[in-house]
Amino acid sequence: MAPTLTDEQIQAGDTYLLNLILTPEGQADPAPWYRRLREELPVFTSSTGGIFLSRYDDCRALLRDNRFGKDESAPTRRTMLPVEDSPEMKAYRQEMAARDRDRPRSMLFLDPPDHTRIRGLVSRAFTPRRIEDMRASIAVLTEECLDEMAERGGGDAIDILGYLPVNVIGELVGVPRQDWPHFRVLVTAGVVSLEPGATLEELKGAAAAFEEMWAYFVHLVAERRRAPAPDLISALLEVEEAGDRLTEDELISTAILLFSAGMETTQNLIGNGLGALFANPDQRARLWAEPQLVASAVEEMLRWDSPVQLDGRRALVDADVAGVEVPAGGAVMTLLGAANRDPAHFSDPDAFDVGRDEGPPLSFASGIHYCLGANLARAEAQEMFAGLIRRFAAVEQAGPLEQRGRMTLRGYRAVPITVTPR
């Protein structure tokens, strides 16, 4: 059993969490707060009753433990923090909770058997072969981004290079090219709903964005029923197992999930990866000199500054985690960014090493909810960084990197760069 925490320890841990998640300093550099939690309170029960894990082995075990599920929402993440919401925020959360009870939920928030059934059907269309077949398309779309960067001599990497995942997932899912830019705006607004520090206005904007995406896909699915195309929506319409198919609501929910997750996390991976290289110029020089290290460099980018920093679970039954009893319904948050810097699992974890080979980070989670698009994200990032090395003798930071101020999906608003063609 884990020792009972003193009032002083609980107060200290609450302070660490607030600094980590809700302050600009914590959002800019979460590593010091992760370190304090990992070293002082690795299994921390906050004053709210929520449990926070920061060690690699504890997080991985929790993510693989089927006694814990994904029956959670953004308000759950918010209520795990020791903050008092305004009456307006409380009323809005209650309104959204009541509305969402009658709506189909994303596979991201489903538990078995519903999750097993839907993921099984989706996996029959979203196959490794389909991802591998996308390689040629990813290469073409990458070159389009690099051509624009070369023509400008630089620019904002998020604006230019960050379009790659929008283009790739748009082509994969079947969203027409002319709609990709608008979808980028909608997804960026929508995913803020996952942030524990989201404001009331941001949550309202996220809800409006998802409503617009839902209406869009209702129309697109109807079109694909009439005229199938070589895209994922058409494949999902056809996929069947033992007489079972996805309902239209399930298909639309899946399309929105794939587009949202596939765009935002990979865009952040590219931006965070550049940020890591700029913060470690010796490793940038090494990667340019040894381009065969691109695959391991991408894994290190995922580890060192993960695009996903937080992932929550809820106990489906009375359970325990790392020596702490968790009642059914109890919430547990895995701090993936902290786990990826755990010295018990990674040697010299605060060092960025493009040649590191110590196993995968937890950036794509683990267990039954392991990211369905992990291999696609890796393929895109590998193509992008290999292309940067091939096309440019130098890629330099050209101004301050601007954080988005988010923690669940961590990334930059702007990464200004200059490039020197070979």
Side-chain angles (χ1 to χ4, degrees):
M1 293 292 293
T4 301
L5 300 180
T6 66
D7 290 343
E8 290 77 12
Q9 287 175 310
I10 293 174
Q11 184 176 3
D14 282 350
T15 300
Y16 297 164
L17 289 173
L18 291 176
N19 277 283
L20 170 68
I21 295 175
L22 298 182
T23 69
E25 295 77 16
Q27 293 162 359
D29 184 11
W33 302 107
Y34 284 150
R35 188 182 305 114
R36 291 187 182 188
L37 283 165
R38 201 174 49 240
E39 292 176 354
E40 300 173 28
L41 300 162
V43 186
F44 173 59
T45 303
S46 118
S47 59
T48 66
I51 298 171
F52 293 81
L53 306 178
S54 51
R55 293 182 299 209
Y56 185 98
D57 287 345
D58 292 340
C59 290
R60 182 174 59 179
L62 186 281
L63 295 170
R64 294 180 174 186
D65 191 334
N66 291 336
R67 297 175 300 170
F68 294 86
K70 288 282 282 187
D71 184 13
E72 61 157 337
S73 63
T76 302
R77 295 168 184 250
R78 176 78 175 186
T79 54
M80 287 181 72
L81 296 177
V83 293
E84 181 67 24
D85 280 333
S86 67
E88 293 80 8
M89 178 69 89
K90 289 179 180 178
Y92 184 74
R93 282 177 30 222
Q94 291 170 353
E95 176 188 340
M96 290 297 99
R99 185 202 68 176
D100 291 344
R101 275 196 292 270
D102 299 324
R103 293 195 168 200
R105 289 191 300 160
S106 160
M107 179 171 57
L108 185 65
F109 298 117
L110 289 176
D111 298 319
D114 293 334
H115 174 268
T116 307
R117 171 184 160 270
I118 293 178
R119 182 162 177 136
L121 286 168
V122 173
S123 295
R124 289 175 64 85
F126 197 72
T127 61
R129 174 63 183 272
R130 182 180 289 271
I131 301 307
E132 190 56 37
D133 288 346
M134 284 289 295
R135 275 280 187 177
S137 179
I138 293 170
V140 171
L141 295 170
T142 299
E143 288 303 311
E144 292 180 9
C145 296
L146 296 174
D147 286 344
E148 182 175 351
M149 186 63 76
E151 182 178 345
R152 295 188 185 187
D156 179 7
I158 299 300
D159 184 44
I160 300 173
L161 306 183
Y163 252 104
L164 174 63
V166 186
N167 299 351
V168 169
I169 203 69
E171 184 171 286
L172 174 69
V173 171
V175 173
R177 191 181 186 106
Q178 66 269 18
D179 296 335
W180 294 352
H182 186 54
F183 250 87
R184 189 182 197 191
V185 175
L186 292 177
V187 169
T188 299
V191 296
V192 77
S193 62
L194 297 172
E195 300 298 326
T199 66
L200 179 58
E201 288 308 308
E202 285 175 328
L203 290 178
K204 289 181 177 179
F210 278 115
E211 289 287 349
E212 187 172 344
M213 284 190 279
W214 189 277
Y216 180 94
F217 277 113
V218 167
H219 175 71
L220 187 57
V221 167
E223 281 193 358
R224 291 296 182 268
R225 286 190 192 280
R226 289 192 299 269
D231 57 36
L232 193 60
I233 287 181
S234 299
L236 289 172
L237 282 167
E238 292 300 318
V239 73
E240 184 173 9
E241 184 173 8
D244 186 21
R245 289 179 180 266
L246 293 171
T247 67
E248 179 161 312
D249 283 353
E250 290 168 345
L251 193 156
I252 293 171
S253 178
T254 298
I256 292 174
L257 170 61
L258 292 173
F259 209 108
S260 301
M263 187 204 97
E264 189 73 12
T265 56
T266 310
Q267 174 179 279
N268 288 349
L269 171 55
I270 292 170
N272 293 1
L274 285 168
L277 292 173
F278 294 146
N280 299 272
D282 61 321
Q283 294 300 302
R284 179 166 33 127
R286 181 185 177 193
L287 182 58
W288 253 248
E290 303 177 62
Q292 69 273 17
L293 295 178
V294 161
S296 62
V298 168
E299 292 303 299
E300 183 70 340
M301 293 166 186
L302 285 164
R303 184 196 71 83
W304 200 74
D305 195 4
S306 177
V308 180
Q309 296 276 318
L310 314 173
D311 194 8
R313 295 290 186 272
R314 187 178 291 282
L316 303 176
V317 296
D318 290 345
D320 62 276
V321 57
V324 174
E325 298 297 325
V326 186
V332 184
M333 185 67 71
T334 58
L335 301 177
L336 303 180
N340 287 342
R341 296 283 190 103
D342 186 351
H345 192 84
F346 297 102
S347 61
D348 195 9
D350 290 328
F352 180 75
D353 177 2
V354 296
R356 188 186 295 272
D357 182 14
E358 296 180 315
L362 289 179
S363 307
F364 292 119
S366 191
I368 64 170
H369 285 283
Y370 183 76
C371 178
L372 191 64
N375 288 336
L376 181 61
R378 285 187 170 103
E380 292 177 63
Q382 289 166 13
E383 287 289 338
M384 177 57 71
F385 284 98
L388 286 168
I389 295 167
R390 184 182 67 254
R391 293 283 300 270
F392 304 116
V395 175
E396 304 286 346
Q397 184 175 338
L401 308 187
E402 300 177 28
Q403 279 285 345
R404 286 191 184 278
R406 300 179 179 180
M407 279 303 298
T408 301
L409 300 179
R410 175 177 162 78
Y412 292 104
R413 180 180 290 108
V415 177
I417 65 174
T418 58
V419 296
T420 303
R422 291 192 182 276

